[in-house]
Amino acid sequence: MISAFSSDGRIAAYDLVVLDDPATALPSYDAMILLGPRVADDPRVVCALAPLRGALSVDLVRRANLQVDHDHTSPRAVAAWLLGQISITETCDAIVPP
């Protein structure tokens, strides 16, 4: 038994089984995007990141973490792979630079 985040690549690497936690003994793990004050109000940044909300399943993030942690693929390459796995149809063309 190990303690790991649900998106930990070791789960896929070692074919582990994630146990149910009906008593919620462990807090949930929710990823979030944090922006610094310099870009937080920039509509271009907000628009560019908005399609990522809810687009990455735990399984997909787990596979991405496996590539970085186990296969030693660069984070940049894995980020490009992740973007190729999801379908982003929104664009920010109408936003005028500040």
Side-chain angles (χ1 to χ4, degrees):
M1 183 183 294
I2 67 168
S3 175
F5 292 115
S6 58
S7 59
D8 195 310
R10 295 176 295 174
I11 294 169
Y14 301 114
D15 199 27
L16 300 175
V17 175
V18 178
L19 302 176
D20 289 331
D21 183 19
T24 60
L26 300 172
S28 65
Y29 170 74
D30 297 316
M32 65 181 71
I33 298 171
L34 298 175
L35 299 175
R38 199 178 73 200
V39 297
D41 294 324
D42 186 330
R44 297 169 300 169
V45 173
V46 174
C47 182
L49 294 175
L52 294 176
R53 276 192 313 244
L56 303 173
S57 68
V58 171
D59 181 60
L60 195 57
V61 173
R62 186 181 297 150
R63 289 169 38 207
N65 285 335
L66 176 65
Q67 290 181 49
V68 173
D69 298 335
H70 187 266
D71 303 338
H72 306 291
T73 306
S74 74
R76 178 183 294 250
V78 174
W81 173 82
L82 268 173
L83 286 175
Q85 299 299 303
I86 59 177
S87 205
I88 296 178
T89 57
E90 300 171 38
T91 64
C92 300
D93 296 337
I95 294 182
V96 179

